[in-house]
Amino acid sequence: MAKKASGQWKGQDRRGSASQRGYGAPWRRLRKRILQRDLHLCQPCLSRSRTTAADAVDHIINKASATADEMITLDGVRMHFDDERNLQAICNECHKAKTAREGNGGKPKPEIGIDGWPLT
Ligand SMILES: [Zn+2]
């Protein structure tokens, strides 16, 4: 009889920050598909005529803006929050800037100037 290892995850790592909670294998597959679709190029950079390798996949409309049933409206079209049309490849730099803009829970956060004080 094989000894039963207790408390051991079977190749599963469900840790992660609060914002990543709930992103399992389906999300990883979706993420890979978006990166392939966007040719691993950061889309916000691309729109500014810059070619940057993407590191992540981003929701164009923040989850905080989704309704309780996880629906969002993008370009006047109602769709699920995880719809491929609401996803884009993004680089670390753009992702950080976008997250900072959106803030936690979608609350607008003041931009911080180079002196460390919020710009008002
Ligand atoms: Zn970028």
Side-chain angles (χ1 to χ4, degrees), residues 58-86:
D58 176 56
H59 288 94
I60 295 167
I61 306 276
N62 190 304
K63 190 169 194 172
S65 307
T67 55
D69 55 355
E70 301 191 324
M71 299 299 281
I72 52 117
T73 304
L74 179 64
D75 293 332
V77 182
R78 193 166 152 83
M79 63 184 74
H80 188 261
F81 163 72
D82 273 340
D83 193 287
E84 292 186 21
R85 287 167 291 182
N86 188 38

Side-chain angles (χ1 to χ4, degrees), residues 10-113:
K10 273 193 226 149
Q12 259 188 77
D13 191 350
R14 294 174 63 86
R15 282 170 307 178
S17 74
S19 63
Q20 291 168 322
R21 208 169 37 206
Y23 289 167
W27 165 249
R28 281 200 296 276
R29 271 197 299 275
L30 185 60
R31 185 181 176 279
K32 199 174 163 189
R33 203 156 66 227
I34 300 301
L35 282 171
Q36 277 168 354
R37 183 198 67 187
D38 290 347
L39 308 172
H40 288 257
L41 292 174
C42 171
Q43 300 303 295
C45 279
L46 213 57
S47 68
R48 294 196 299 270
S49 305
R50 295 200 321 186
T51 306
T52 311
D55 306 291
V57 169
D58 176 56
H59 288 94
I60 295 167
I61 306 276
N62 190 304
K63 190 169 194 172
S65 307
T67 55
D69 55 355
E70 301 191 324
M71 299 299 281
I72 52 117
T73 304
L74 179 64
D75 293 332
V77 182
R78 193 166 152 83
M79 63 184 74
H80 188 261
F81 163 72
D82 273 340
D83 193 287
E84 292 186 21
R85 287 167 291 182
N86 188 38
L87 293 166
Q88 63 180 349
I90 197 165
C91 74
N92 267 329
E93 210 182 305
C94 289
H95 201 199
K96 259 196 299 204
K98 190 169 182 277
T99 309
R101 255 200 323 274
E102 286 165 348
N104 249 339
K107 282 193 274 301
K109 228 179 186 179
E111 243 182 283
I112 308 296

